[in-house]
Amino acid sequence: MISTLTIRNLRANMGRFAMTTFGVVIAVSFVVSAFVLSDGLRKTFNDLSTDIVASTDFEIRPVETFGSTEFLDDDDVATLQAVDGVAMAIGSTSAPENSVRPITAAGEEIPSNGPPQLAFSWVDAPGLSPLSMVDGSPPGVDEFVIDLDSAAKHGFVIGDTYTVVSSTGRHELTLSGLTKFGEDNATVGATLMSMNADQTDQLFGTVGFDSIAIAMTNSGRADLAGAEAAIRAAVPELDVLTQASLADETAAEFNTQIDIIQYVLLGFAGISLLVSIFIIGNTFAIVLQQRTREMGLLRLVGADAKQLRRGALGEAGVIGLLASAIGIPGGIGVATGLTALFTAIGVTLPEYDLTVAPRTIGVALLVGLGVTLIAAWWPTRKATQVPAIAALRSGESGRTESGPLRLVAGLCLGVVGMVIAGLGVAGNGSTSAMLTMMGVGALMIFVAVTTISPRLVAPVASSFGLVLERLGMPGSLAVRNARRQAGRTATTATALMIGLAVVSMALVVGQSIKSQIGSNLETAMLADYLLTDQAAEAGFPTAIVEEIDADPTFDAVTGFRVAEMQVDDEIVDVIAARFGHLPTLFDLDVTEGAIDGADDSVLVSRARADLDAIAVGDAIDVTLETGVATTLNVSAIFDNDAVVTQDWVVDVDVFDRAGVTASDLWLAFSVANGVDSATATTAVEALAERYPQGELETSAQFQERVEGLVDQILSVMNALVALAVIIALIGIANTLALSVSERTREIGLLRAVGMSGRGVRRMIRYESAVIAGFGAVLGVAMGIGLGWLTVEALPDTFAGSISIPVGQILVLVAVAAGAGLIAALLPARRAGAMNVLAAISSQ
């Protein structure tokens, strides 16, 4: 009986439940897309990783230890070649990703925001190199080769000479040939270049070989374990990697980037699921309340509460399965759309197979079915607990207002949450520990607000009434309807509250960070121009500093090099700059001591000085990454780390004496006094043309770009929240549609006593605006509070004080209220079109 009734109820309410499950379908689609996209990309890159090392049985590298300057050379190659069973040993060198970039015939560099540009020494050994010539000849001195797809895409022609920029400067190289990777040149979009092995040190700024690849003979390959032992015995001081470990290492590098995409998509899914739980629960609560009399009759003819619960949960199960079934192909569509979106913004993803693994289907079913059942469980349980006679008599499922116990529980939970969050803010532990405590406290506060929100409907709705009641009877009735069903209003608005709380918190934190960054940069920046390279870590040739210094157009100039340094037992990053020019270009807010020109002086950040009890005049024993030990004297402690983000700063002479060959990652310089703007512009443009891999900006442009990075992060968050808000508004529309059906007789009576259809439509729209406004007010209030807690927990270098974007938040509330009006269009239209007599006579 119950199964037949379940099917009938589904048919009767399918339209309403279809709208309700929209959020679940979206969530399942994003879950599926996350796995489809990541699984496809992983398979592609795993296959690529296998192809890269397919011909290499072993790879030999120097052991990476701090202070070691060991590199591989021809002697190491000869030693390995002599090992029994080794067919071939070839040394090779690679440049850091995107550090070697060819300039096209049009004078443009290949975009670096997509697949990487990779450069290697040419390995003239088909058995050990995945690259093979397809046209032309291998690279000789002052020549290079490039893969055939990149050549066709960017117009490189064999025999032509091109400028190739690297960390060692500009080089004029002739394209001698085209290569392919494997059989099909499966580069997944990367640009592959190879240079003559005798020139890689000059072009890449390297010394010796990075690695030595070994191919075994057939007999040696028959006993790889024995071969590995023999190789390790021959070079005990070097690191030996097998083919399997090489493939795993290469794949792991690719998979790190894939994981980021997967986590973002799962974040979209998580927010959608959270919002959908409230919407589904609210819909089931209303529908089951409307069927209270029906359930009372079923109880009288023999159905018990468990059967009724099973029937209602069966409806939820069918809806969950349907949402999962739709979400699976929807996820494939989302993955395809995201691939196209990445391509449109210039980030080309490699071709991948659409892989829908059994795990993906299982997760989709678990998510769709599980969320729907969880959301429907409480309203189903509550509805089936009403005694049969009571249900027949009143047709009501119970009170919707929150009782005293719920209020007390919510207040207690909120107090505990605030205490925990406050301890996190006031704590002296690590930032991660503070944020964890704040997260727990914030979650408890959120649950507390959700618990007591029905009690907040009356005061908030009454404040809206100050405006709506001036719009006539429809406005007054809308406010009263929202207050009368406070529990329903609160539950419907909770879904919207979630999204707006997240976006408000993000706006507050983002604005606070931007304000701090802007303030610090504005104070610190004295230089006129900065030259940076965001695409690579290789940096610029150190000779560029002397080049700028020798130009009378410019005055002070310094580069910034980064290397590692050991202090006690800790390995830290240290910056090297020209102390003689640094104070002219930046105000580091030196609070103690001064930046002097002593060769052995070091600047220490305030945070580091406080942590290690360092004072001006202290002698610090350190070891540079080349293994050279020296003593540095603390000459100053600085407080502004907006530009110099490391804790330790030394003069470039310290690096030079220790043999540290780091390149300048970025540069800052100023125009000399008395130089007119036209002369300065000409010199700056010439500099930009000579070093096209760099981004040449004024201080103001640099500050604007850095602040824009915060906006980019917020844009991802806003897109996520926009999705949640859309789902929440669908929930409001669905709730109003059910409410209109529930209040059919009431609406008929209003029409009978003189209210026009237009007035009814306005009443429904205003009620929707009250619900959306209520959710917006609570969401914004919570978002500002959580944003303040987050700002307080962050280090002062990130956000020293809270900054609230009042204008944006007011727009947010207004948009939410306006969206509520839009969400009510269809329910309002239906209410206004009711036949008066039919509505009055309805049961």
Side-chain angles (χ1 to χ4, degrees):
M1 176 181 65
I2 298 299
S3 60
T4 302
L5 187 61
T6 298
I7 295 173
R8 290 178 178 174
N9 287 329
L10 280 171
R11 289 177 177 174
N13 298 285
M14 185 54 71
R16 297 168 184 171
F17 284 130
M19 290 181 61
T20 304
T21 56
F22 175 78
V24 182
V25 172
I26 293 295
V28 172
S29 295
F30 275 106
V31 169
V32 171
S33 69
F35 289 117
V36 167
L37 191 60
S38 60
D39 287 348
L41 290 174
R42 280 196 181 93
K43 183 180 183 303
T44 297
F45 284 119
N46 286 342
D47 292 343
L48 175 63
S49 302
T50 302
D51 291 341
I52 289 174
V53 300
S55 56
T56 303
D57 294 310
F58 297 99
E59 184 171 288
I60 314 303
R61 300 176 188 169
V63 177
E64 294 184 3
T65 57
F66 181 79
S68 173
T69 57
E70 185 176 350
F71 57 88
L72 304 176
D73 55 23
D74 290 331
D75 291 339
D76 296 308
V77 174
T79 299
L80 291 164
Q81 185 70 65
V83 175
D84 187 35
V86 172
M88 192 181 303
I90 298 290
S92 63
T93 306
S94 61
E97 184 177 299
N98 290 328
S99 64
V100 176
R101 284 180 256 177
I103 306 302
T104 67
E108 300 175 350
E109 62 174 327
I110 298 174
S112 55
N113 59 343
Q117 299 173 55
L118 306 174
F120 315 92
S121 58
W122 174 253
V123 176
D124 196 9
L128 278 177
S129 175
L131 295 176
S132 59
M133 298 298 304
V134 295
D135 195 6
S137 59
V141 175
D142 293 333
E143 293 180 338
F144 76 109
V145 293
I146 192 171
D147 71 275
L148 57 94
D149 290 334
S150 296
K153 182 177 181 180
H154 301 291
F156 289 97
V157 179
I158 294 177
D160 288 355
T161 299
Y162 299 92
T163 298
V164 177
V165 295
S166 71
S167 61
T168 61
R170 295 168 60 90
H171 309 276
E172 300 300 319
L173 303 180
T174 300
L175 184 65
S176 66
L178 304 180
T179 63
K180 67 176 180 178
F181 178 80
E183 290 297 321
D184 302 317
N185 196 42
T187 65
V188 294
T191 300
L192 304 184
M193 296 168 285
S194 292
M195 282 72 177
N196 186 276
D198 294 333
Q199 284 189 292
T200 52
D201 288 353
Q202 171 194 349
L203 297 174
F204 300 168
T206 55
V207 177
F209 301 127
D210 294 336
S211 61
I212 298 174
I214 293 177
M216 305 298 296
T217 61
N218 291 334
S219 60
R221 199 170 282 122
D223 182 17
L224 287 177
E228 181 180 353
I231 292 172
R232 290 187 184 276
V235 287
E237 74 284 1
L238 301 179
D239 196 7
V240 180
L241 289 81
T242 64
Q243 185 182 87
S245 60
L246 281 172
D248 291 342
E249 179 184 79
T250 306
E253 295 175 0
F254 291 131
N255 289 337
T256 299
Q257 306 300 322
I258 297 172
D259 288 342
I260 295 174
I261 298 174
Q262 181 174 338
Y263 293 148
V264 171
L265 294 177
L266 290 177
F268 276 84
I271 293 293
S272 301
L273 289 174
L274 184 59
V275 174
S276 298
I277 285 174
F278 287 95
I279 294 174
I280 295 171
N282 199 36
T283 301
F284 266 90
I286 298 173
V287 170
L288 292 177
Q289 180 174 320
Q290 294 175 353
R291 286 159 43 188
T292 301
R293 192 185 301 274
E294 171 191 314
M295 287 189 290
L297 286 171
L298 290 172
R299 293 284 297 277
L300 287 179
V301 297
D304 58 27
K306 290 183 179 179
Q307 288 178 304
L308 293 176
R309 279 197 294 273
R310 285 199 300 268
L313 290 176
E315 297 177 29
V318 172
I319 294 168
L321 289 173
L322 181 62
S324 300
I326 298 173
I328 291 172
I332 297 174
V334 171
T336 304
L338 288 172
T339 302
L341 176 62
F342 279 119
T343 302
I345 63 177
V347 181
T348 304
L349 295 178
E351 293 184 3
Y352 60 91
D353 295 329
L354 290 175
T355 304
V356 183
R359 176 258 288 141
T360 303
I361 297 175
V363 171
L365 292 173
L366 180 63
V367 168
L369 184 60
V371 166
T372 308
L373 290 176
I374 290 171
W377 179 80
W378 174 251
T380 299
R381 182 176 181 274
K382 182 179 178 183
T384 55
Q385 285 180 332
V386 179
I389 299 300
L392 286 173
R393 180 173 61 248
S394 63
E396 295 291 338
S397 63
R399 297 179 61 190
T400 59
E401 305 292 340
S402 59
L405 183 61
R406 178 173 176 174
L407 177 62
V408 172
L411 291 174
C412 292
L413 188 63
V415 170
V416 173
M418 285 188 286
V419 170
I420 294 176
L423 291 174
V425 172
N428 295 321
S430 64
T431 300
S432 60
M434 294 170 62
L435 290 175
T436 298
M437 292 188 67
M438 281 181 46
V440 173
L443 180 61
M444 296 178 70
I445 293 172
F446 173 76
V447 175
V449 172
T450 303
T451 303
I452 65 175
S453 57
R455 293 278 182 168
L456 303 175
V457 170
V460 175
S462 297
S463 65
F464 292 152
L466 297 177
V467 175
L468 292 177
E469 289 179 357
R470 296 184 179 182
L471 300 177
M473 185 56 67
S476 299
L477 290 175
V479 174
R480 292 174 188 176
N481 287 333
R483 294 182 58 179
R484 182 178 59 182
Q485 295 287 349
R488 181 182 300 175
T489 299
T491 304
T492 305
T494 298
L496 183 62
M497 178 183 72
I498 295 170
L500 295 185
V502 174
V503 73
S504 299
M505 180 183 72
L507 286 173
V508 170
V509 174
Q511 184 64 36
S512 301
I513 292 176
K514 283 178 60 177
S515 297
Q516 186 69 38
I517 290 174
S519 176
N520 288 346
L521 288 177
E522 188 174 355
T523 302
M525 286 286 190
L526 304 176
D528 293 326
Y529 292 95
L530 293 98
L531 182 64
T532 60
D533 184 0
Q534 301 300 310
E537 298 180 359
F540 302 91
T542 54
I544 190 176
V545 174
E546 283 70 26
E547 179 183 338
I548 295 174
D549 201 19
D551 190 332
T553 306
F554 305 113
D555 187 10
V557 58
T558 184
F560 291 87
R561 314 176 193 175
V562 179
E564 288 187 334
M565 179 175 74
Q566 183 173 0
V567 181
D568 295 328
D569 295 328
E570 183 181 3
I571 308 299
V572 300
D573 287 334
V574 57
I575 281 185
R578 302 174 81 193
F579 276 12
H581 292 196
L582 187 59
T584 306
L585 298 168
F586 297 101
D587 179 5
L588 299 185
D589 190 14
V590 174
T591 55
E592 297 180 35
I595 302 175
D596 59 35
D599 292 340
D600 59 353
S601 65
V602 61
L603 316 180
V604 184
S605 70
R606 168 57 62 189
R608 185 73 189 205
D610 291 343
L611 180 64
D612 294 344
I614 296 174
V616 171
D618 287 353
I620 311 292
D621 293 327
V622 303
T623 302
L624 277 300
E625 64 179 26
T626 54
V628 175
T630 187
T631 299
L632 300 176
N633 297 309
V634 180
S635 64
I637 294 174
F638 64 93
D639 203 31
N640 193 334
D641 57 0
V643 177
V644 179
T645 55
Q646 275 72 24
D647 292 327
W648 306 86
V649 185
V650 298
D651 190 82
V652 291
D653 287 341
V654 174
F655 276 22
D656 292 340
R657 290 198 306 271
V660 178
T661 57
S663 301
D664 288 315
L665 295 185
W666 59 286
L667 299 91
F669 56 95
S670 291
V671 177
N673 291 331
V675 175
D676 61 87
S677 59
T679 302
T681 299
T682 301
V684 169
E685 289 177 349
L687 186 66
E689 184 178 352
R690 287 197 300 276
Y691 298 95
Q693 77 271 37
E695 185 77 23
L696 188 59
E697 303 164 299
T698 65
S699 294
Q701 290 170 334
F702 176 80
Q703 177 178 336
E704 183 179 350
R705 179 165 61 82
V706 172
E707 292 177 348
L709 295 177
V710 179
D711 291 332
Q712 290 179 12
I713 297 173
L714 289 179
S715 65
V716 175
M717 180 69 70
N718 291 339
L720 188 153
V721 174
L723 177 67
V725 170
I726 291 172
I727 298 173
L729 292 175
I730 290 175
I732 292 175
N734 200 32
T735 299
L736 287 173
L738 293 169
S739 178
V740 167
S741 177
E742 182 182 48
R743 288 152 45 190
T744 299
R745 178 176 292 184
E746 173 189 322
I747 293 172
L749 289 172
L750 288 173
R751 293 292 306 280
V753 297
M755 179 173 281
S756 64
R758 180 184 179 189
V760 171
R761 291 194 295 271
R762 289 170 58 195
M763 177 185 70
I764 301 299
R765 289 199 299 268
Y766 293 159
E767 185 176 346
S768 177
V770 171
I771 296 172
F774 177 73
V777 169
L778 286 190
V780 166
M782 283 190 63
I784 292 175
L786 295 176
W788 173 77
L789 289 173
T790 304
V791 169
E792 288 297 315
L794 290 173
D796 289 343
T797 53
F798 284 98
S801 60
I802 187 172
S803 179
I804 301 176
V806 177
Q808 289 177 282
I809 288 178
L810 290 178
V811 169
L812 198 64
V813 175
V815 168
L821 292 174
I822 296 173
L825 289 177
L826 290 178
R829 181 180 178 184
R830 180 187 173 195
M834 282 185 183
N835 181 280
V836 177
L837 294 179
I840 294 175
S841 61
S842 66
Q843 295 294 326

